[in-house]
Amino acid sequence: EVQLVESGGGLEQPGGSLRLSCAASGFTLSRYEMNWVRQAPGKGLEWVSYISVSGGSIYYADSVKGRFTVSRDNAKNSLYLQMNALRAEDTAVYYCARDGTGGFSFDIWGQGTKVTV
Amino acid sequence: QSVLTQPPSASGAPGQRVTIPCSGSSSNIGTNIVNWYQQLPGTAPKLLIYVGFPRPSGVPDRFSGSKSGTSASLAISGLQSEDEAVYYCAAWDDTLKGVLFGGGTKVIVL
C-alpha cells in the first residue's frame, strides 16, 4: 500500500525545536518531489515547504523561512522537517504530501502529526 | 489571507449541481496547474482534480474542474450526502515561489 506516515509532533515551548519525520512506503521516495503542508486548528491548509527529488531545489513559505529546514534521505525513504524558533502560530497538524505529477498536485498525504507550541 | 479566493460555503440539495469558484492571478492560476482537494472532517486532504488532466483513480466522474484565465471552478453534479466536506483550490505561484491554497469552501448538502 502506498502511504506516508508522519511522526515527531508534540508539545514544545515557544523558541524550542522539533524534528518531524515522514516515512514513505509502497513507493520509491527518490522518484518524487515532496512537500509539507500544515493546518492550524479550525483553519485552512497552508503550504510550508517543497523539496526536489535530489534536494537541490528547496522552497519555503515566508512564514517559516529562516526557521524551518526541509531535507530528505532517499536511501531511507524518508522526508524531514526541522523546526526551530517555534512560535505559537506554528501550532498545527503537519502533513507530508507527495507531488505525483511534478505540477504540485499532491496525490498522497500522510495522516498528519500534531504540533502544539 | 489567501491569495486564491473561494467562497466560505456553498450548498445544494441531493442530486443538484454545485459549483465552487476559485479566483487567482496570472502568476498562479493563469500559468500553472490548478488542483482541487477534498477534506472530510477529521481526515487528511485528498486530491480530487488537477485541472486539465484525468481524474485521479477512484474519484467519481460527478466531480469536474475547469479553468479560464485566472479563475477556476470545481463542479459537483448529482450532489450526495457524502460530498459534505471542505474543498480547497491550490496552485503554484511563480512570483511567490510557493503553493497557494484557497481559504476553503464548505459544501453543505441540504
Side-chain angles (χ1 to χ4, degrees), chain A residues 54-93:
Chain A
S54 67
S57 182
I58 288 174
Y59 298 108
Y60 298 99
D62 286 345
S63 57
V64 307
K65 204 173 292 182
R67 301 187 299 122
F68 290 12
T69 302
V70 64
S71 62
R72 64 193 296 162
D73 186 336
N74 288 333
K76 293 184 177 180
N77 242 25
S78 294
L79 174 73
Y80 306 99
L81 186 67
Q82 178 66 43
M83 308 164 61
N84 297 332
L86 284 164
R87 305 168 179 168
E89 52 265 37
D90 295 321
T91 294
V93 173

Side-chain angles (χ1 to χ4, degrees), chain A residues 31-46:
Chain A
R31 295 180 181 173
Y32 295 91
E33 299 164 350
M34 296 295 294
N35 291 260
W36 287 96
V37 177
R38 69 183 181 183
Q39 187 168 34
K43 302 297 184 182
L45 301 173
E46 180 189 15

Side-chain angles (χ1 to χ4, degrees), chain B residues 7 9-11 17-21 36 64 66 72-77 105 107:
Chain B
S9 66
S11 62
R17 177 184 172 95
V18 168
T19 301
I20 303 170
W36 288 92
S64 61
S66 63
S73 63
L74 173 72
I76 310 173
S77 59
T105 298
V107 168

Side-chain angles (χ1 to χ4, degrees), chain A residues 39 44 47 104-106 109-110, chain B residues 35 37 39 44 47 88 92 98-99:
Chain A
Q39 187 168 34
W47 171 81
F104 296 94
S105 304
F106 304 155
W109 295 67
Chain B
N35 302 285
Y37 299 92
Q39 188 174 33
L47 179 64
Y88 296 91
W92 174 261
V99 175

